[in-house]
Amino acid sequence: MAKGRPKSAQGDAGIANISRTRRARLVAEFEGELGIDYKARAEAEEAERRWVARKTFIVWTIALMFFAIACQKLWVMGKDVDVPFSDINPVRSLIGD
């Protein structure tokens, strides 16, 4: 007499073969039964992504400001010398005489 598949293998194969939409619906139902609000979780994840984007924008803006100030200061220091690269003294130029 032929032996059938074990019950656990059939169950695993059945879960693997269901569509993504059906799987998402089952997960949502299961989370609902557990009291997990998936919409609130999705909103929290979106808020986190927006916060990361804002932080990135702020950090890059500050970095570009410092870079622009440094370039401008170097340009002014270069204009102050008679012969280029002859007597550039960054400490004296930054602090003064």
Side-chain angles (χ1 to χ4, degrees):
M1 175 153 91
K3 293 184 178 180
R5 285 193 207 160
K7 295 277 185 189
S8 64
Q10 286 178 345
D12 293 341
I15 291 172
N17 291 330
I18 65 174
S19 68
R20 272 194 261 165
T21 306
R22 176 71 180 135
R23 188 178 305 145
R25 195 175 305 135
L26 288 171
V27 167
E29 289 174 13
F30 181 69
E31 287 177 345
E33 290 174 3
L34 291 176
I36 299 171
D37 187 5
Y38 64 94
K39 289 181 183 177
R41 186 177 66 190
E43 289 173 2
E45 289 173 357
E46 179 62 27
E48 179 67 23
R49 280 193 293 273
R50 282 194 307 267
W51 174 240
V52 168
R54 286 181 187 137
K55 285 193 301 187
T56 303
F57 177 77
I58 290 167
V59 167
W60 275 101
T61 302
I62 292 170
L64 288 174
M65 286 172 48
F66 277 119
F67 180 73
I69 291 168
C71 289
Q72 192 269 344
K73 188 64 179 172
L74 286 172
W75 182 72
V76 168
M77 287 169 50
K79 299 283 276 176
D80 288 342
V81 297
D82 297 328
V83 178
F85 303 109
S86 63
D87 63 345
I88 292 180
N89 186 351
V91 176
R92 189 184 63 204
S93 297
L94 288 174
I95 297 173
D97 290 331

